[in-house]
Amino acid sequence: MLDANIKAQLKTYMERLVAPIELVASLDDSAKSQEMRALLEEIASVSDRISLLENGVDARKPSFSIGLVNQPARIRFAGLPMGHEFTSLILALLQASGYAPKITDEQIEQIRGIDGQNGEHLRFETYISLSCHNCPDVVQALNTLSALNPNIQHVMIDGALFQDEVETRQVMAVPTVYLNGEVFGNGRMAIEDILAKLDTGAAARDAAKLSQKAPYDVLVVGGGPAAAAAAIYAARKGIRTGVLAERFGGQVLDTMAIENLISVPHTDGPKLARALEEHVREYDVDIMNLQRAEKLIPGSAGSYHELRLANGAVLKSKSIIVATGARWRELNVPGELEYRGKGVAYCPHCDGPLFKGKHVAVVGGGNSGVEAAIDLAGIVGHVTLLEFGDTLRADAVLQKKLYSLPNATVIKSAQTTQITGAGGKVDGLEYTDRTTGQTQHVALEGVFIQIGLLPNTDWLKGTIELSRFGEIVVDAKGQTDVPGVFGAGDCTTVPYKQIVIAMSEGAKASLAAFDHLIRSSVTA
């Protein structure tokens, strides 16, 4: 099941096991159980510190637990953790043995201090798809909590393998996390996000610590390619540099195949995001992740700019580079918000497997929309693509591929007006035929919205100049209309929203900020 190269790497990793562990499998006669048995046998064969038992009694079959020998296991996988989840498996093996996770001492202490609920363990269940690139972060975070705290248990559940559960719980987006039977969260969550939800006093403590930080020379707001480049270029100048990000990696985290980053023939978003963060961390940069900027208060000549955060903290800096990127554009039609996560989705790679054999729609005829329809056609029963204009805007090669698919339908001149539902989930979509003016209804079970991006600049309205599209207006050097405040990347008026362009714009804005600093003086 594992090729020789992967098996050799696994053997090397398993040399780090701190204590003997055992894998306890719950299997039946299915083909997937046979695959799981083969995988677990190969894992057990690479180290004499790993034992395999097949006497598991879990109702979910196939599944297996990982724990210390003769001790209750707290980490479980219901499904084969391959693809994006293979790293989750390796980390779970190591951490279950007592291997220290790569998180801060403060986080470890915080995790160990979490109590159960009313004397009960915290039982987390995470529904994933193996094609989801957001899911591993959540699985790994919850496995880490389980490895460190005996009051916490976690199971990863492959939604495509346990369709009955998905239907019963109406799970229509991944990752979806349950805590003791109730929905805990949806979408990407880092360990900091989970701890913040479990430890209600964490936000106040964070705000107090952030407000005590000394002023920066350059404060970068954002966590994507533009922000990373800006931080690196600033730090290399030897000046005090900070990065404030809602999630490091930004929109790149939601991108799969990246094949146009010069000198890198092929990579994917999560891999690139990790590389960006690792590069930034090579320098003396103060990274403040999972923090949201709420208001920019420009300083007058000779004073600091202030940045007010959602948690109440205030940061000061001599110059600020805003590189907050963009987010998925919404349709803003009835039913969209109501059925988000219940049939309305924005990531076909993540959520597509949950709609296996079903009828879904893609709204949007650009490259992203057509690519989504092509990908979904290989999973779902039928995909209908709706385009507002009278022609598709995607590249010709993508259109040719889409039209060749037997289970794909294209409807042009279609203005989506409503997403309908029943029983708490999507059951269809209404659109107006812009040629005839007639209203049509398409019965389906999922709607994937792919109509472009919106800049993350709402919090800047009335502070700096924005275009009619909400983009930050910048000059050739990235300077805004406020001296000492710069913009870079997809949130600005710079055309062509591409990773390589965002990186270059971040570097340029950082150089311009440094030039501003040496030509001006700021006093406290």
Side-chain angles (χ1 to χ4, degrees):
M1 186 155 189
L2 302 178
D3 63 37
N5 183 46
I6 293 177
K7 196 169 180 178
Q9 292 180 18
L10 182 62
K11 182 178 177 64
T12 300
Y13 281 121
M14 292 305 101
E15 291 173 357
R16 305 177 189 176
L17 290 172
V18 176
I21 59 174
E22 60 184 11
L23 312 177
V24 181
S26 299
L27 306 173
D28 53 23
D29 296 328
S30 66
K32 283 297 181 182
S33 283
Q34 304 311 311
E35 287 184 49
M36 180 171 287
R37 177 181 288 111
L39 172 64
L40 297 180
E41 287 175 346
E42 291 198 60
I43 292 172
S45 72
V46 303
S47 173
D48 57 8
R49 288 195 151 197
I50 304 176
S51 56
L52 172 60
L53 304 175
E54 294 189 19
N55 59 352
V57 294
D58 195 306
R60 294 188 181 100
K61 295 180 174 63
S63 67
F64 66 96
S65 64
I66 305 174
L68 293 170
V69 175
N70 296 324
Q71 292 191 26
R74 302 191 296 272
I75 298 174
R76 181 176 296 277
F77 291 89
L80 275 74
M82 302 300 289
H84 293 303
E85 293 295 350
F86 191 64
T87 299
S88 302
L89 171 60
I90 293 174
L91 291 174
L93 292 166
L94 291 172
Q95 291 176 17
S97 79
Y99 187 85
K102 290 185 177 180
I103 58 177
T104 67
D105 292 341
E106 183 180 6
Q107 288 173 331
I108 291 175
E109 182 180 352
Q110 189 178 4
I111 291 169
R112 286 176 172 162
I114 296 173
D115 295 324
Q117 289 183 345
N118 300 321
E120 294 186 6
H121 286 178
L122 301 181
R123 295 176 291 101
F124 286 99
E125 302 166 288
T126 302
Y127 289 88
I128 62 98
S129 68
L130 295 178
S131 59
C132 169
H133 50 279
N134 290 325
C135 295
D137 285 351
V138 179
V139 172
Q140 291 164 27
L142 289 169
N143 282 347
T144 296
L145 266 65
S146 301
L148 292 173
N149 189 322
N151 295 316
I152 301 175
Q153 302 171 359
H154 176 237
V155 55
M156 180 214 82
I157 305 166
D158 181 358
L161 194 57
F162 293 91
Q163 284 282 339
D164 289 345
E165 286 190 41
V166 167
E167 292 288 344
T168 300
R169 284 182 157 176
Q170 296 189 3
V171 176
M172 305 185 77
V174 291
T176 291
V177 180
Y178 282 79
L179 171 58
N180 292 350
E182 301 294 331
V183 175
F184 177 78
N186 301 95
R188 177 185 291 274
M189 288 185 287
I191 199 164
E192 297 94 333
D193 296 301
I194 296 169
L195 290 175
K197 295 188 74 170
L198 294 175
D199 183 358
T200 55
R205 294 195 301 272
D206 281 348
K209 289 180 181 178
L210 290 170
S211 293
Q212 293 172 3
K213 290 180 179 288
Y216 298 92
D217 294 309
V218 173
L219 178 58
V220 182
V221 187
I232 290 169
Y233 268 71
R236 287 176 61 85
K237 295 295 185 182
I239 57 180
R240 178 165 164 72
T241 304
V243 174
L244 184 92
E246 280 198 59
R247 56 171 187 162
F248 206 99
Q251 191 74 15
V252 166
L253 290 167
D254 301 323
T255 305
M256 284 309 295
I258 299 173
E259 299 175 344
N260 57 358
L261 184 58
I262 309 306
S263 84
V264 183
H266 178 81
T267 187
D268 60 60
K271 183 177 180 180
L272 177 59
R274 287 192 297 271
L276 290 172
E277 184 170 359
E278 289 171 2
H279 195 174
V280 173
R281 289 189 182 278
E282 289 186 3
Y283 296 92
D284 187 15
V285 176
D286 185 8
I287 297 178
M288 296 160 281
N289 199 16
L290 303 178
Q291 301 293 338
R292 180 164 57 87
E294 194 169 73
K295 185 175 180 61
L296 171 64
I297 306 171
S300 56
S303 65
Y304 292 116
H305 300 292
E306 293 187 356
L307 197 68
R308 185 175 298 160
L309 310 188
N311 63 10
V314 176
L315 301 174
K316 296 181 179 181
S317 184
K318 295 177 182 178
S319 64
I320 289 180
I321 299 173
V322 180
T324 46
R327 64 189 183 277
W328 294 115
R329 184 186 295 273
E330 298 174 350
L331 280 171
N332 292 317
V333 299
E336 180 179 12
L337 294 180
E338 180 182 356
Y339 297 111
R340 181 174 293 171
K342 296 297 181 182
V344 174
Y346 300 84
C347 180
H349 301 289
C350 300
D351 300 331
L354 298 177
F355 295 85
K356 183 178 180 180
K358 298 179 179 180
H359 186 178
V360 304
V362 173
V363 181
N367 280 350
S368 60
V370 173
E371 286 175 348
I374 293 170
D375 290 343
L376 288 167
I379 303 171
V380 304
H382 192 92
V383 57
T384 299
L385 182 140
L386 296 96
E387 162 59 26
F388 181 85
D390 56 6
T391 59
L392 299 183
R393 294 167 286 110
D395 295 341
V397 64
L398 294 175
Q399 293 190 43
K400 183 178 180 181
K401 174 65 176 176
L402 177 62
Y403 281 117
S404 73
L405 299 174
N407 63 333
T409 301
V410 176
I411 302 175
K412 292 176 283 192
S413 297
Q415 180 179 357
T416 302
T417 56
Q418 183 177 358
I419 295 171
T420 61
K425 59 183 180 179
V426 167
D427 72 356
L429 176 150
E430 287 187 0
Y431 71 92
T432 298
D433 185 323
R434 297 176 58 243
T435 303
T436 65
Q438 294 181 338
T439 297
Q440 305 288 341
H441 183 270
V442 181
L444 41 79
E445 294 165 282
V447 179
F448 290 82
I449 299 169
Q450 299 281 295
I451 56 172
L453 303 171
L454 279 175
N456 294 317
T457 57
D458 294 343
W459 60 286
L460 293 169
K461 290 179 179 178
T463 304
I464 61 177
E465 183 183 1
L466 303 177
S467 74
R468 64 188 181 93
F469 301 109
E471 300 167 318
I472 300 170
V473 177
V474 294
D475 63 15
K477 292 184 177 181
Q479 172 70 50
T480 70
D481 63 330
V482 175
V485 178
F486 301 81
D490 288 3
C491 64
T492 72
T493 51
V494 172
Y496 310 119
K497 312 305 184 186
Q498 299 290 315
I499 292 172
V500 68
I501 294 174
M503 287 180 173
S504 62
E505 290 297 313
K508 184 171 66 176
S510 190
L511 293 172
F514 182 71
D515 184 63
H516 167 79
L517 291 175
I518 63 177
R519 294 173 184 274
S520 61
S521 61
V522 177
T523 57

